[in-house]
Amino acid sequence: MIDLRSDTLTQPTPTMRQAMANAKVGDDVFEEDPTLKKLEALAAKKTGKESALFVPSGTMGNLISVLSHCQRGDEVLLGDRSHIFLHEVGGMSALGGVHPRTLPNNEDGTLPLPLVEQSIRKLDIHYPLTRLICLENTHNHCQGSPLSPEYMASMAALAEKHGLKIHLDGARLFNAAVALDIEVEALTRHADSVMFCLSKGLSAPVGSLVCGDRNFIQRARKNRKMVGGGMRQAGHLAAAGLIALENMVERLKDDHLHAGLLAEKLASIDGIELDQTQVKTNIIFFKLNHPKIDGDTFLTLLEERSIKILMVDPGVFRAVLHREVSREQVQTVAQTIHSILIEQYK
Ligand SMILES: *Cc1c(COP(=O)(O)O)cnc(C)c1O
Protein backbone atom coordinates (compact mmCIF):
# COMPACT_ATOMS: atom_id res chain seq x y z
CA MET A 1 0.00 0.00 0.00
CA ILE A 2 1.22 3.51 -0.86
CA ASP A 3 -0.51 5.62 1.76
CA LEU A 4 -0.61 9.34 1.02
CA ARG A 5 -3.43 10.22 3.41
CA SER A 6 -1.12 11.85 5.96
CA ASP A 7 2.44 12.17 7.21
CA THR A 8 1.11 11.02 10.60
CA LEU A 9 1.16 7.48 9.15
CA THR A 10 4.95 7.29 9.38
CA GLN A 11 6.14 4.43 11.59
CA PRO A 12 8.97 4.91 14.08
CA THR A 13 12.37 3.98 12.62
CA PRO A 14 14.35 0.98 13.96
CA THR A 15 16.71 3.44 15.72
CA MET A 16 13.73 5.07 17.42
CA ARG A 17 12.38 1.72 18.58
CA GLN A 18 15.73 0.83 20.08
CA ALA A 19 16.10 4.20 21.79
CA MET A 20 12.55 3.91 23.20
CA ALA A 21 13.26 0.48 24.64
CA ASN A 22 16.48 1.59 26.30
CA ALA A 23 15.49 5.09 27.47
CA LYS A 24 16.30 6.23 31.01
CA VAL A 25 12.96 7.27 32.48
CA GLY A 26 11.33 8.67 35.61
CA ASP A 27 7.97 10.08 36.66
CA ASP A 28 7.47 13.23 34.60
CA VAL A 29 4.62 14.58 36.75
CA PHE A 30 7.32 14.78 39.44
CA GLU A 31 9.55 16.31 36.72
CA GLU A 32 11.98 13.44 37.16
CA ASP A 33 12.24 11.99 33.68
CA PRO A 34 15.75 12.67 32.36
CA THR A 35 15.01 11.79 28.72
CA LEU A 36 11.96 14.00 28.65
CA LYS A 37 13.91 16.88 30.16
CA LYS A 38 16.52 16.45 27.47
CA LEU A 39 13.88 16.62 24.73
CA GLU A 40 12.25 19.71 26.27
CA ALA A 41 15.63 21.43 26.53
CA LEU A 42 16.41 20.65 22.90
CA ALA A 43 12.97 21.90 21.77
CA ALA A 44 13.42 25.14 23.72
CA LYS A 45 16.87 25.63 22.21
CA LYS A 46 15.69 25.02 18.63
CA THR A 47 12.78 27.44 18.96
CA GLY A 48 14.81 30.02 20.91
CA LYS A 49 12.42 29.91 23.88
CA GLU A 50 13.19 29.69 27.61
CA SER A 51 11.24 26.54 28.19
CA ALA A 52 9.27 23.70 26.58
CA LEU A 53 6.65 21.14 27.51
CA PHE A 54 6.01 17.70 26.01
CA VAL A 55 2.35 16.96 25.23
CA PRO A 56 0.63 13.87 23.80
CA SER A 57 -0.77 15.59 20.70
CA GLY A 58 -0.77 18.77 18.67
CA THR A 59 -4.41 19.30 19.53
CA MET A 60 -3.66 19.26 23.24
CA GLY A 61 -0.65 21.51 22.68
CA ASN A 62 -2.77 24.13 20.92
CA LEU A 63 -5.54 23.84 23.51
CA ILE A 64 -3.31 24.33 26.53
CA SER A 65 -1.52 27.17 24.75
CA VAL A 66 -4.82 28.99 24.26
CA LEU A 67 -5.83 28.19 27.87
CA SER A 68 -2.49 29.53 29.10
CA HIS A 69 -2.82 32.83 27.20
CA CYS A 70 -6.53 33.52 27.70
CA GLN A 71 -9.18 33.91 30.39
CA ARG A 72 -12.78 32.75 29.90
CA GLY A 73 -14.60 35.17 27.60
CA ASP A 74 -11.45 36.42 25.87
CA GLU A 75 -11.41 36.52 22.09
CA VAL A 76 -8.90 34.84 19.78
CA LEU A 77 -8.32 35.93 16.18
CA LEU A 78 -7.58 33.04 13.82
CA GLY A 79 -7.97 31.93 10.23
CA ASP A 80 -11.19 30.36 8.99
CA ARG A 81 -9.13 27.55 7.45
CA SER A 82 -6.93 27.03 10.49
CA HIS A 83 -6.60 23.60 12.06
CA ILE A 84 -7.42 25.02 15.50
CA PHE A 85 -10.74 26.32 14.21
CA LEU A 86 -11.66 23.48 11.84
CA HIS A 87 -10.30 20.30 13.36
CA GLU A 88 -9.88 20.58 17.11
CA VAL A 89 -13.48 19.91 18.18
CA GLY A 90 -14.01 23.51 19.26
CA GLY A 91 -11.85 22.82 22.31
CA MET A 92 -11.03 26.43 23.05
CA SER A 93 -14.71 27.26 23.54
CA ALA A 94 -15.91 23.91 24.89
CA LEU A 95 -13.16 23.60 27.49
CA GLY A 96 -11.77 27.12 27.85
CA GLY A 97 -14.78 29.39 27.36
CA VAL A 98 -12.63 31.24 24.83
CA HIS A 99 -14.33 32.97 21.91
CA PRO A 100 -12.90 32.24 18.43
CA ARG A 101 -13.22 35.02 15.85
CA THR A 102 -12.35 33.74 12.41
CA LEU A 103 -10.94 35.89 9.64
CA PRO A 104 -10.73 34.65 6.03
CA ASN A 105 -7.33 33.13 5.29
CA ASN A 106 -5.57 34.23 2.12
CA GLU A 107 -4.67 31.39 -0.30
CA ASP A 108 -1.14 31.32 1.11
CA GLY A 109 -2.29 30.79 4.70
CA THR A 110 -1.68 34.37 5.83
CA LEU A 111 -4.29 36.63 7.42
CA PRO A 112 -4.54 40.12 5.93
CA LEU A 113 -2.80 42.46 8.40
CA PRO A 114 -5.26 45.38 7.98
CA LEU A 115 -8.16 43.01 8.66
CA VAL A 116 -6.48 41.66 11.79
CA GLU A 117 -5.88 45.20 13.02
CA GLN A 118 -9.46 46.22 12.27
CA SER A 119 -10.77 43.20 14.16
CA ILE A 120 -9.06 44.01 17.45
CA ARG A 121 -11.79 45.09 19.86
CA LYS A 122 -11.92 48.51 21.44
CA LEU A 123 -12.44 48.64 25.18
CA ASP A 124 -16.20 48.65 25.55
CA ILE A 125 -18.57 47.10 28.07
CA HIS A 126 -20.23 45.18 25.21
CA TYR A 127 -17.08 43.53 23.87
CA PRO A 128 -14.93 40.57 24.78
CA LEU A 129 -11.25 41.34 25.19
CA THR A 130 -9.09 40.45 22.18
CA ARG A 131 -6.16 38.57 23.67
CA LEU A 132 -4.49 36.31 21.16
CA ILE A 133 -3.73 35.80 17.46
CA CYS A 134 -3.20 32.22 16.24
CA LEU A 135 -1.13 31.60 13.11
CA GLU A 136 -0.40 28.29 11.40
CA ASN A 137 2.93 27.43 9.73
CA THR A 138 2.98 25.52 7.44
CA HIS A 139 -0.69 26.13 6.74
CA ASN A 140 -2.22 22.69 6.26
CA HIS A 141 -5.47 23.70 4.51
CA CYS A 142 -3.81 26.41 2.44
CA GLN A 143 -1.72 24.02 0.33
CA GLY A 144 0.80 23.41 3.13
CA SER A 145 2.16 26.92 2.55
CA PRO A 146 5.03 28.19 4.68
CA LEU A 147 4.54 31.68 6.16
CA SER A 148 7.66 33.81 5.71
CA PRO A 149 9.68 35.28 8.58
CA GLU A 150 8.91 38.76 7.16
CA TYR A 151 5.17 38.13 7.44
CA MET A 152 5.57 36.70 10.94
CA ALA A 153 7.60 39.80 11.90
CA SER A 154 4.93 42.23 10.68
CA MET A 155 2.24 40.30 12.56
CA ALA A 156 4.41 40.36 15.70
CA ALA A 157 4.82 44.14 15.38
CA LEU A 158 1.06 44.55 15.06
CA ALA A 159 0.41 42.29 18.05
CA GLU A 160 2.91 44.17 20.16
CA LYS A 161 1.41 47.54 19.24
CA HIS A 162 -1.97 46.32 20.56
CA GLY A 163 -0.73 44.28 23.51
CA LEU A 164 -1.79 40.94 22.01
CA LYS A 165 0.03 37.60 22.13
CA ILE A 166 0.77 35.30 19.21
CA HIS A 167 0.46 31.52 19.32
CA LEU A 168 1.96 29.63 16.41
CA ASP A 169 0.43 26.29 15.43
CA GLY A 170 3.60 24.86 13.95
CA ALA A 171 2.50 21.24 13.60
CA ARG A 172 4.74 21.21 10.48
CA LEU A 173 7.07 24.01 11.54
CA PHE A 174 10.17 22.10 10.43
CA ASN A 175 8.69 21.67 6.96
CA ALA A 176 8.37 25.45 6.80
CA ALA A 177 11.96 26.02 7.91
CA VAL A 178 13.31 23.45 5.44
CA ALA A 179 11.21 24.86 2.57
CA LEU A 180 12.40 28.41 3.32
CA ASP A 181 15.96 27.22 4.04
CA ILE A 182 16.11 29.00 7.41
CA GLU A 183 16.39 27.96 11.06
CA VAL A 184 13.06 27.45 12.82
CA GLU A 185 14.11 30.13 15.28
CA ALA A 186 13.77 32.72 12.49
CA LEU A 187 10.03 31.91 12.53
CA THR A 188 9.45 31.23 16.22
CA ARG A 189 11.10 34.45 17.43
CA HIS A 190 7.96 36.24 16.21
CA ALA A 191 5.58 34.16 18.35
CA ASP A 192 5.04 34.13 22.12
CA SER A 193 4.27 30.43 22.07
CA VAL A 194 4.71 27.69 19.52
CA MET A 195 3.47 24.12 19.21
CA PHE A 196 5.17 21.67 16.88
CA CYS A 197 4.58 17.95 16.20
CA LEU A 198 7.11 15.14 16.33
CA SER A 199 4.58 12.63 15.05
CA LYS A 200 4.11 13.87 11.47
CA GLY A 201 6.92 14.08 8.92
CA LEU A 202 9.51 13.74 11.69
CA SER A 203 8.30 10.14 12.16
CA ALA A 204 8.11 9.84 15.96
CA PRO A 205 5.16 7.71 17.10
CA VAL A 206 3.66 10.18 19.59
CA GLY A 207 4.08 13.69 20.83
CA SER A 208 4.28 17.43 20.33
CA LEU A 209 6.01 20.27 22.14
CA VAL A 210 4.80 23.60 23.38
CA CYS A 211 7.52 26.23 23.75
CA GLY A 212 7.48 29.68 25.31
CA ASP A 213 8.81 31.71 28.22
CA ARG A 214 9.22 30.19 31.68
CA ASN A 215 6.02 31.69 33.12
CA PHE A 216 3.96 30.60 30.16
CA ILE A 217 5.28 27.04 30.32
CA GLN A 218 4.56 26.91 34.05
CA ARG A 219 0.91 27.77 33.36
CA ALA A 220 0.88 25.33 30.43
CA ARG A 221 2.21 22.54 32.69
CA LYS A 222 -0.67 23.09 35.07
CA ASN A 223 -3.20 23.25 32.23
CA ARG A 224 -1.74 20.06 30.77
CA LYS A 225 -2.37 18.35 34.13
CA MET A 226 -5.92 19.73 34.16
CA VAL A 227 -6.80 18.23 30.78
CA GLY A 228 -5.25 14.91 31.75
CA GLY A 229 -2.00 15.19 29.79
CA GLY A 230 0.43 14.73 32.68
CA MET A 231 2.33 11.56 31.82
CA ARG A 232 4.56 9.33 33.91
CA GLN A 233 7.50 7.50 32.27
CA ALA A 234 7.03 9.49 29.07
CA GLY A 235 10.77 9.43 28.43
CA HIS A 236 10.13 6.30 26.37
CA LEU A 237 8.26 8.56 23.93
CA ALA A 238 10.73 11.41 24.28
CA ALA A 239 13.55 9.07 23.22
CA ALA A 240 11.95 8.78 19.78
CA GLY A 241 11.30 12.53 19.78
CA LEU A 242 15.00 13.28 20.31
CA ILE A 243 15.86 11.23 17.24
CA ALA A 244 13.10 12.98 15.30
CA LEU A 245 14.59 16.39 16.11
CA GLU A 246 18.20 15.40 15.68
CA ASN A 247 18.06 13.18 12.60
CA MET A 248 14.79 13.57 10.73
CA VAL A 249 14.61 17.28 9.89
CA GLU A 250 17.08 17.39 6.97
CA ARG A 251 15.31 14.63 5.09
CA LEU A 252 12.03 16.59 4.94
CA LYS A 253 13.39 18.18 1.79
CA ASP A 254 13.02 14.80 0.06
CA ASP A 255 9.30 14.89 0.86
CA HIS A 256 9.11 18.39 -0.63
CA LEU A 257 10.90 17.23 -3.79
CA HIS A 258 8.55 14.26 -4.06
CA ALA A 259 5.52 16.53 -3.62
CA GLY A 260 6.81 18.79 -6.39
CA LEU A 261 7.39 15.80 -8.65
CA LEU A 262 3.95 14.31 -8.01
CA ALA A 263 2.31 17.71 -8.56
CA GLU A 264 4.13 18.17 -11.84
CA LYS A 265 3.06 14.74 -13.10
CA LEU A 266 -0.56 15.08 -11.97
CA ALA A 267 -0.92 18.61 -13.38
CA SER A 268 -0.25 17.23 -16.86
CA ILE A 269 -3.12 14.71 -16.66
CA ASP A 270 -6.46 15.69 -18.25
CA GLY A 271 -9.18 15.62 -15.61
CA ILE A 272 -6.94 16.82 -12.81
CA GLU A 273 -6.88 20.45 -11.73
CA LEU A 274 -3.78 21.28 -9.79
CA ASP A 275 -1.81 24.49 -9.42
CA GLN A 276 1.82 23.43 -9.23
CA THR A 277 3.00 26.88 -8.19
CA GLN A 278 1.14 26.41 -4.89
CA VAL A 279 3.09 23.31 -3.90
CA LYS A 280 5.85 24.41 -1.55
CA THR A 281 6.18 21.69 1.09
CA ASN A 282 4.94 18.09 1.41
CA ILE A 283 1.20 18.61 0.82
CA ILE A 284 -0.63 18.76 -2.49
CA PHE A 285 -4.29 19.41 -3.20
CA PHE A 286 -6.07 18.75 -6.48
CA LYS A 287 -9.54 18.60 -7.97
CA LEU A 288 -10.91 15.79 -10.06
CA ASN A 289 -12.92 16.83 -13.06
CA HIS A 290 -13.71 13.69 -15.02
CA PRO A 291 -16.87 12.85 -17.03
CA LYS A 292 -17.09 9.23 -15.80
CA ILE A 293 -15.49 9.11 -12.37
CA ASP A 294 -16.71 10.85 -9.24
CA GLY A 295 -14.68 11.33 -6.05
CA ASP A 296 -15.79 8.19 -4.23
CA THR A 297 -15.25 6.01 -7.30
CA PHE A 298 -11.79 7.50 -7.73
CA LEU A 299 -10.88 6.57 -4.13
CA THR A 300 -12.12 3.00 -4.66
CA LEU A 301 -10.23 2.62 -7.94
CA LEU A 302 -7.06 3.84 -6.26
CA GLU A 303 -7.48 1.55 -3.28
CA GLU A 304 -7.95 -1.43 -5.57
CA ARG A 305 -4.53 -0.49 -6.93
CA SER A 306 -2.99 -0.19 -3.42
CA ILE A 307 -2.98 3.61 -3.21
CA LYS A 308 -4.70 5.70 -0.54
CA ILE A 309 -5.30 9.45 -0.59
CA LEU A 310 -7.72 11.66 1.30
CA MET A 311 -10.85 13.29 -0.10
CA VAL A 312 -11.23 16.54 1.85
CA ASP A 313 -14.32 17.85 -0.01
CA PRO A 314 -16.40 16.19 -2.74
CA GLY A 315 -13.97 15.81 -5.66
CA VAL A 316 -11.12 17.56 -3.82
CA PHE A 317 -8.15 15.47 -2.73
CA ARG A 318 -5.12 15.85 -0.52
CA ALA A 319 -1.94 13.83 -0.85
CA VAL A 320 0.84 14.15 1.73
CA LEU A 321 4.38 12.99 1.04
CA HIS A 322 6.42 11.45 3.83
CA ARG A 323 9.34 9.16 4.70
CA GLU A 324 7.56 5.99 3.66
CA VAL A 325 6.85 7.11 0.11
CA SER A 326 9.83 6.77 -2.22
CA ARG A 327 10.54 8.52 -5.50
CA GLU A 328 9.67 5.28 -7.34
CA GLN A 329 6.34 5.12 -5.53
CA VAL A 330 5.61 8.70 -6.58
CA GLN A 331 6.13 7.59 -10.19
CA THR A 332 3.82 4.62 -9.58
CA VAL A 333 1.08 6.85 -8.17
CA ALA A 334 1.31 9.24 -11.13
CA GLN A 335 1.27 6.39 -13.65
CA THR A 336 -1.64 4.68 -11.92
CA ILE A 337 -3.74 7.86 -11.90
CA HIS A 338 -2.86 8.52 -15.53
CA SER A 339 -3.85 5.01 -16.47
CA ILE A 340 -7.19 5.18 -14.61
CA LEU A 341 -8.25 8.56 -15.97
CA ILE A 342 -6.82 8.45 -19.48
CA GLU A 343 -6.76 4.78 -20.50
CA GLN A 344 -9.25 2.74 -18.49
CA TYR A 345 -12.13 5.22 -18.20
CA LYS A 346 -11.65 7.65 -21.07
C1 LIG B 1 -2.06 17.64 12.79
C2 LIG B 1 -2.22 19.07 13.12
C3 LIG B 1 -2.53 19.47 14.43
C4 LIG B 1 -2.91 18.49 15.54
O1 LIG B 1 -2.01 17.52 15.83
P1 LIG B 1 -2.51 16.11 16.45
O2 LIG B 1 -1.24 15.56 17.00
O3 LIG B 1 -3.06 15.34 15.30
O4 LIG B 1 -3.51 16.41 17.50
C5 LIG B 1 -2.60 20.81 14.69
N1 LIG B 1 -2.38 21.72 13.73
C6 LIG B 1 -2.09 21.38 12.46
C7 LIG B 1 -1.83 22.44 11.46
C8 LIG B 1 -2.01 20.04 12.11
O5 LIG B 1 -1.75 19.71 10.85
Side-chain angles (χ1 to χ4, degrees), residues 123-285:
L123 289 178
D124 183 304
I125 194 174
H126 300 89
Y127 295 159
L129 188 67
T130 312
R131 180 80 72 176
L132 180 67
I133 301 167
C134 293
L135 298 175
E136 186 172 318
N137 199 2
T138 62
H139 202 294
N140 186 342
H141 283 275
C142 293
Q143 318 273 348
S145 303
L147 309 185
S148 71
E150 295 75 26
Y151 173 77
M152 300 280 305
S154 22
M155 189 62 89
L158 193 149
E160 187 172 359
K161 178 173 153 202
H162 294 276
L164 306 186
K165 300 287 185 192
I166 294 184
H167 171 66
L168 178 60
D169 175 354
R172 294 187 183 81
L173 180 64
F174 287 88
N175 291 89
V178 165
L180 299 168
D181 199 17
I182 54 176
E183 297 294 323
V184 287
E185 201 271 330
L187 297 166
T188 53
R189 73 166 62 128
H190 304 298
D192 298 279
S193 60
V194 54
M195 183 287 289
F196 68 83
C197 292
L198 300 165
S199 57
K200 296 194 169 171
L202 298 181
S203 300
V206 178
S208 297
L209 284 130
V210 174
C211 311
D213 70 27
R214 225 165 256 116
N215 272 333
F216 172 83
I217 293 299
Q218 228 165 40
R219 298 198 298 281
R221 189 177 290 279
K222 190 160 182 171
N223 284 322
R224 183 185 67 176
K225 193 79 189 82
M226 184 174 72
V227 297
M231 293 172 285
R232 303 300 177 175
Q233 285 73 34
H236 285 298
L237 301 174
L242 279 164
I243 292 169
L245 274 187
E246 280 164 352
N247 303 341
M248 306 303 279
V249 173
E250 280 287 300
R251 63 151 307 289
L252 293 175
K253 63 178 179 301
D254 295 341
D255 300 340
H256 300 176
L257 284 172
H258 292 167
L261 178 65
L262 183 59
E264 185 191 325
K265 303 234 168 226
L266 295 185
S268 71
I269 300 176
D270 266 350
I272 297 230
E273 287 174 29
L274 187 155
D275 182 355
Q276 271 184 77
T277 63
Q278 298 281 349
V279 178
K280 301 201 177 82
T281 61
N282 65 328
I283 299 181
I284 70 178
F285 284 87

